């Protein structure tokens, strides 16, 4: 089985965010980047499938050279090899085009990725990749098993869960509790240095969106404490200031 796992390079979730002077780009000074947490569920499940069924796991990142530290981390966790498409990921469709182009050149059985990236929370790339390839997309999944040429997946839906069976190849977006993310051990870190990391140039693509500006959320105002006996004042504040009733 050949599995392709797509990973994004995102700011650590504890990062204090600021923007460039024109508010069009993230200010990366002092920002630590990590593998997108949802992508780690995908990577770990891919490794579990490889260990039980055999095969290979390739990680793919669309990004510039500064993402290679986290690509190497994915190799240290257990991926066999990696591909980096040398392109700044500014648009979901443009990224999806690059992933689909790589997938077309290889006979992958599964493409796994997180349900969304924690920086933009777009949850768009998996569906676009599937459409470009003409494959089914199961999104988001909390469980994935494979037997022969058939995958059985579990999804959370309103009021319950849904079990889906589908023939390979497919695109799957992953979320907890798909798997328990792994931490690279020393042996993995050492072997990651010699594992193949191929850099390819992007294919010509079309960005469908562009960023006009970013803005931080408004700062929270102070808390007003209302005497429990004064319900009328509370109702007035909720109606006239908070405007929620």
């Amino acid at each position: 089985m050949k599995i392709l796992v797509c990973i994004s390079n995102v700011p650590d979730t504890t990062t204090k965010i600021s923007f460039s002077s024109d508010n069009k780009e993230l200010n990366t000074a002092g920002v630590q980047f990590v593998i997108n947490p949802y992508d780690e569920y995908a990577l770990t499940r891919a490794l579990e499938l490889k260990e039980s069924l055999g095969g290979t796991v390739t990680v793919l990142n669309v990004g510039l050279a500064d993402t290679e530290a986290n690509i190497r981390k994915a190799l240290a966790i257990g991926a066999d090899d990696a591909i980096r498409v040398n392109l700044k990921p500014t648009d979901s469709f443009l990224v999806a085009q690059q992933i689909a182009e790589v997938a077309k050149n290889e006979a992958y059985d599964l493409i796994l990725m997180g349900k969304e990236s924690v920086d933009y929370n777009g949850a768009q790339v998996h569906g676009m990749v599937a459409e470009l390839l003409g494959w089914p997309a199961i999104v988001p999944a909390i469980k994935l098993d494979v037997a022969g040429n058939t995958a059985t997946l579990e999804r959370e839906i309103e009021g319950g869960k849904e079990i889906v069976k589908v023939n390979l190849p497919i695109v799957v977006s992953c979320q907890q509790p798909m798997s328990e993310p792994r931490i690279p051990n020393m042996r993995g870190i050492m072997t990651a240095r010699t594992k193949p990391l191929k850099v390819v140039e992007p294919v010509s693509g079309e960005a469908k969106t562009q960023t006009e500006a970013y803005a931080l959320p408004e700062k929270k105002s102070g808390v007003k404490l209302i005497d429990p006996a004064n319900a009328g004042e509370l109702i007035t504040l909720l109606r006239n200031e908070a405007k929620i009733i």
Side-chain angles (χ1 to χ4, degrees):
M1 176 178 292
K2 292 183 66 174
I3 306 174
L4 181 67
V5 179
C6 305
I7 63 172
S8 298
N9 198 55
V10 300
D12 189 288
T13 52
T14 61
T15 296
K16 186 176 181 180
I17 297 297
S18 64
F19 302 111
S20 59
S21 58
D22 60 0
N23 289 324
K24 289 192 175 184
E25 290 188 347
L26 171 71
N27 180 7
T28 59
V31 174
Q32 180 180 354
F33 284 83
V34 298
I35 299 173
N36 178 46
Y38 288 113
D39 296 337
E40 290 193 275
Y41 295 115
L43 176 59
T44 306
R45 187 58 188 140
L47 296 173
E48 291 170 348
L49 290 171
K50 170 194 164 183
E51 291 160 1
S52 62
L53 302 174
T56 60
V57 174
T58 299
V59 291
L60 170 63
N61 170 258
V62 179
L64 302 179
D66 57 1
T67 68
E68 291 192 2
N70 281 323
I71 297 174
R72 289 290 178 191
K73 180 182 177 182
L75 292 171
I77 291 171
D80 298 287
D81 62 314
I83 301 169
R84 179 175 67 82
V85 180
N86 191 34
L87 176 72
K88 186 176 182 178
T90 57
D91 172 83
S92 295
F93 186 70
L94 188 59
V95 169
Q97 286 179 305
Q98 308 307 316
I99 296 171
E101 186 65 25
V102 170
K104 287 175 184 177
N105 296 325
E106 301 287 345
Y108 292 111
D109 300 290
L110 275 172
I111 298 179
L112 304 183
M113 62 187 77
K115 72 169 186 175
E116 61 187 2
S117 62
V118 298
D119 49 2
Y120 289 98
N121 301 105
Q124 300 177 61
V125 173
H126 35 71
M128 293 175 178
V129 170
E131 179 65 21
L132 290 168
L133 293 172
W135 293 7
I138 310 300
V139 298
I142 61 172
K143 188 175 181 180
L144 166 64
D145 292 302
V146 177
N149 195 47
T150 302
T152 303
L153 303 101
E154 188 172 304
R155 299 173 60 243
E156 289 182 335
I157 59 174
E158 187 173 355
K161 295 179 180 179
E162 176 184 55
I163 307 297
V164 179
K165 285 193 174 184
V166 60
N167 289 335
L168 304 178
I170 57 174
V171 177
V172 181
S173 72
C174 308
Q175 67 175 49
Q176 69 274 34
M178 172 74 75
S179 59
E180 185 66 32
R182 298 179 179 181
I183 298 172
N185 56 34
M186 183 56 66
R187 182 171 182 271
I189 294 171
M190 296 299 291
T191 58
R193 298 177 181 178
T194 58
K195 288 181 178 180
L197 196 172
K198 181 170 67 173
V199 178
V200 299
E201 291 305 312
V203 296
S204 178
E206 180 184 2
K208 300 292 186 180
T209 61
Q210 62 181 17
T211 300
E212 291 296 322
Y214 293 108
L216 294 172
E218 294 183 7
K219 292 183 178 180
K220 294 182 179 180
S221 58
V223 176
K224 291 185 177 181
L225 300 178
I226 308 300
D227 191 306
N230 196 352
E233 182 182 357
L234 175 61
I235 293 171
T236 299
L237 290 171
L238 292 175
R239 178 179 293 119
N240 298 332
E241 289 194 16
K243 300 186 186 301
I244 60 174
I245 60 173

